[in-house]
Amino acid sequence: MSTVLRRAAACAAGAALAVLGLTAPAARADQPPAVDLATNPGFEIPTLPLGDWGSIPGWTCGAGEATLTGSAHGGASALSVTPAAEDSTGECAQTVSVRPGSHYTLSAWVRGSYVFLGATGTGHDVAPSWTPGTGDGWQRLTTAFTTGADTTSVRLYLHGWYGQGTFAADDVELSGAAPAPATATWNAPTTDRVVFFTVDDGWQPTAEAARLIADRALPVTAFPLPMAAGNQPDYFREVTSAAGSSIQDHSVSHRDLTTLGAAEQQAEICSARDAQVRRFGSTPTIFRPPYLTWNADTLQAAANCGIRYVLTATADFSWGQSTVYHGGPLRPGDVVLLHFTDTLAADLQRALDAADAAGLRPAGLVDYLR
């Protein structure tokens, strides 16, 4: 946008606020600089051959309605949505974490008839920005909001209108203060005589492990990959039914996130979160990075997805191991890494024996990492 157009837009926005009797929010000196918080905002992140992504990484769209098109506003691709039925507007949406009491501007470039851009859950009523039609070109839609005092996440949406056909969108931007980075930890610091069992991946769920978990009422923190969890969702509900158990986030594709940029890390974490919410109804707050590798981008990407902790482990009892990384016996607050494999029942028993020898009892991780 040219300098003249920017000034004109600023004047128009100021005039609109004046008519409403409102004052544009002043920038706070203590507020972090504005960044784009949207997940996969340019629709450039490739859809891997995994059903976990849905149709568009980072976005939740109606089944069969959303695809990518090479006719983009910027970059190589854009979102293209064709409502599948007369009662559908073809909505695509995502949830992003924000800071309470902070100002945000939401914009996107759109093409088509009756296209809407907006946000819900902001803490205040916010009217969407929309256009009756863009002709043959692209048009920028913009709206803004200030989050409520207790608002920590918002839902962004794009949609068309009934009977209006295909619309396109590109270069979405949610500009404002990012949430504080997630906390990296390998344990749950506590003086309580407790230890935590965490189980990753989910490709080989066994009845023997499920029976042991049920018989001992073990609190288990599961980090299944979305595709694995989707194969046998009832199994993962069963093994996380004891008090203190939970299902958390382990990314979509199990790639080493340190080999990816910040935007792709965010799509991995947020997309896995969305899959677990749809399937199990609870929102993850803990992220286990694949291969226990992470960097500063991981911490910020995780926070943008509502994750509070990026968790590795202090011990590994997978596949017959009994490795304690800090040496010696297990300690209070230790996190034991296991995997859903054909050895899990034996691995769990060995971890239980090690905990008993150290005078520790298994506890629920979500009760300690809040």
Side-chain angles (χ1 to χ4, degrees), residues 174-356:
L174 178 64
S175 178
T183 298
T185 185
W186 72 339
N187 67 353
T190 180
T191 57
D192 293 351
R193 304 292 301 177
V194 295
V195 66
F196 306 99
F197 292 167
T198 66
V199 193
D200 286 9
D201 295 354
W203 293 117
Q204 293 178 283
T206 67
E208 293 81 5
R211 281 196 296 270
L212 188 153
I213 291 169
D215 290 346
R216 297 288 295 265
L218 287 180
V220 169
T221 303
F223 293 90
L225 296 168
M227 182 177 285
N231 290 336
Q232 295 190 51
D234 288 343
Y235 180 88
F236 294 97
R237 294 187 185 97
E238 178 185 357
V239 297
T240 57
S241 60
S245 297
S246 65
I247 296 176
Q248 300 293 337
D249 194 321
H250 194 36
S251 83
V252 170
S253 70
H254 206 279
R255 289 180 289 176
D256 179 349
L257 296 192
T258 63
T259 67
L260 307 179
E264 200 159 359
Q265 290 197 43
Q266 183 166 325
E268 283 272 359
I269 299 169
C270 286
S271 293
R273 172 205 63 192
D274 293 343
Q276 307 301 42
V277 170
R278 288 193 301 271
R279 190 163 288 131
F280 301 110
S282 58
T283 303
T285 57
I286 305 169
F287 174 65
R288 164 67 57 69
Y291 311 107
L292 307 185
T293 60
W294 56 271
N295 57 21
D297 284 342
T298 312
L299 301 184
Q300 188 60 63
N304 294 352
C305 299
I307 298 294
R308 296 181 193 140
Y309 294 93
V310 172
L311 177 72
T312 55
T314 52
D316 190 347
F317 278 64
S318 306
W319 295 291
Q321 297 184 72
S322 298
T323 303
V324 180
Y325 296 133
H326 54 64
L330 293 172
R331 299 173 184 168
D334 273 349
V335 171
V336 176
L337 173 65
L338 301 125
H339 288 79
F340 287 102
T341 66
D342 56 4
T343 67
L344 178 56
D347 295 339
L348 276 168
Q349 187 58 62
R350 197 170 55 261
L352 282 166
D353 292 343
D356 289 342

Side-chain angles (χ1 to χ4, degrees), residues 26-79:
R28 284 170 40 188
D30 61 341
Q31 189 153 308
V35 296
D36 186 3
L37 295 175
T39 304
N40 194 12
F43 306 98
E44 302 293 329
I45 293 173
T47 302
L48 299 175
L50 298 170
D52 316 292
W53 281 125
S55 53
I56 309 295
W59 294 83
T60 299
C61 307
E65 295 188 327
T67 61
L68 296 179
T69 175
S71 179
H73 173 264
S77 60
L79 174 71

